[in-house]
Amino acid sequence: MTLEIYDTTLRDGSQQEGISLTVGDKLRIAALLDELGVDYVEGGWPGANPKDDEFFKRACKELDLSTATLTAFGSTRRPRSKVAIDPQLRSLLDAETEVVCIVGKAWDYHVLEALRADLDEGVRMVAESIEYLKAHDRRVFFDAEHFFDGYASNPDFALAVLRAASEAGAERLVLCDTNGGRLPSDVVRTLTAVQETIPAAELGVHFHNDAGCAVASSIAAVEAGVRQVQGCINGYGERTGNADFSTLLPDLSIKMGIDVLGSKSLTRLSSIAHHVAEVVNISLAPHHPYVGSSAFTHKAGLHTSALARRPDAYEHTDPATVGNRTRMVVSELAGKASILSKAEELGLEVDDDFARRIIERIKELEHEGYHFEAADGSFELLVREMAGWEQSFFKLESFRVFTERRAHEEVVAEATIKVVVNGERVVSTGEGVGPVHALDQALKDALRGTYPAVADLHLTDYRVRVLDSKDSTGARVRVLVETADHETAWGTIGVHENVIEASWKAITEGLIVGLLRHTAG
Ligand SMILES: [Zn+2]
């Protein structure tokens, strides 16, 4: 019996503050989740909003899923009503998916207070809705909302709801910790009680992360024998999110030896996690387990020299199994060994003497306010330049940037840039919400003709910090930028008294590193 991976990024995950997905975004994410190899992709809640209705219409025509099954989500019929006239159940059928997942209340408090119905009606709503969907040839999963809290409050009612769902034909009974406050030990106790009461049921679990335990509780539930886990890639979801598949899937696969992705491989995980983050437009935290850019990053000098010899002594698993990689960060603390291994990682050959000169140079620059830990891209360029390399993608003649505030509080920035690209002088302009955005647009526009790869390079993070200075008129500004393609991201840095100049250095270095990776130059 295999464990089923049920992804709800497109429904529960999209409830996260700051996430707003278009139908096109949802289709892209569904395709990426299928590429990853999850068993079920919950597409949304038909009838709840026109966007989800359109998603299901387009998904039928445009999505060609190889391993995932698309499911539609909805709730049981309204209280004191009839299934045949329930608009919500009608929309669920109209989505025309083979599998539907419906949510019903398992906590007596919610039935009595939120629905203002009696408990018998609460049970009937679940049973009749499932029977109705089964009569229309749907496979049905049942999400028992607030199950763990409901079981603690009134176990008889919570179990009566599950029994009714099972007898009505639900294939999976999914126990949800909707408020996310339960601990793993508590989850296992409740699960065991359910298994003893309804031994034939195939159970699933759905955890929210409010107590920081969604992944831990999912693992405990899998150990206790559940058939299905629900969650979201990168842990998206309301409040503190849902169980994080980017962490849970490698835990289940690498640590527990469970086959979670069938024929697909976890080696695509990091790349897909970053790609979804790009569509969602929220940068993935560097310290995200397994898939974050710092998940296998090492800093201290001593440690890195040992790491170069024996990586398994300092890493809990081989980063390649999840498609990530070991990274060394460079700082003035770094020893020669970490410079050498960083250079090797970049494919550059350097000797001991050269490494010592680089360390000296880094110390000088860090004194001026540079900080290479988060700027691996700038470090790469520094090493190349000290070895005599010079970037040949473009030469700057000049740029000019201004910001205009128009009536009605509209603010726009415009940049004009003059560069020599491939021996030819190019003048281009860019508009943006701010001066840095406008400059980035203008430079990309100037390069696009010769280097089409710039279209795939995106500015994904921009941070400015004013550095402490005794002389406040001469305060320096440090700009850290992150640039990404579809696969990875890299950091670059600029330091200057003028924020535009510091930004210019950081964004151009970001583009140069990207061009180095995408062109033969
Ligand atoms: Zn949920």
Side-chain angles (χ1 to χ4, degrees), residues 7 9-11 14 20-36 41-44 51-66 68 70 272 275-276 279-280:
D7 184 282
T9 303
L10 299 179
R11 200 265 309 170
S14 69
S20 172
L21 301 173
T22 64
V23 174
D25 293 337
K26 293 186 79 163
L27 291 165
R28 266 177 83 190
I29 293 173
L32 286 164
L33 292 168
D34 179 58
E35 192 186 328
L36 180 64
V41 170
E42 190 172 78
K51 197 157 62 177
D52 281 9
D53 293 330
E54 191 194 334
F55 169 82
F56 283 102
K57 274 199 198 81
R58 284 182 58 185
C60 284
K61 287 183 231 135
E62 296 172 35
L63 274 184
D64 183 20
L65 302 178
S66 67
L70 190 67
I272 289 173
H275 199 153
V276 174
V279 178
V280 165

Side-chain angles (χ1 to χ4, degrees), residues 11-12 206 208 242:
R11 200 265 309 170
D12 230 359
H206 174 116
H208 283 257
N242 285 58

Side-chain angles (χ1 to χ4, degrees), residues 301-368:
L302 245 183
H303 175 162
T304 41
S305 69
L307 184 92
R309 280 180 285 118
R310 289 251 166 237
D312 57 342
Y314 295 93
E315 290 180 337
H316 71 105
T317 191
D318 178 358
T321 55
V322 291
N324 208 337
R325 62 193 180 104
T326 298
R327 267 176 65 230
M328 308 290 176
V329 295
V330 179
S331 74
E332 57 183 323
L333 291 173
K336 202 177 61 193
S338 56
I339 301 279
L340 291 174
S341 56
K342 177 79 191 175
E344 193 182 327
E345 182 195 323
L346 298 172
L348 305 169
E349 272 184 41
V350 300
D351 59 18
D352 282 11
D353 180 53
F354 188 71
R356 258 188 297 274
R357 283 199 288 126
I358 292 174
I359 291 171
E360 284 311 305
R361 183 76 188 118
I362 288 171
K363 281 183 182 163
E364 283 167 28
L365 288 168
E366 295 208 342
H367 185 67
E368 286 174 29

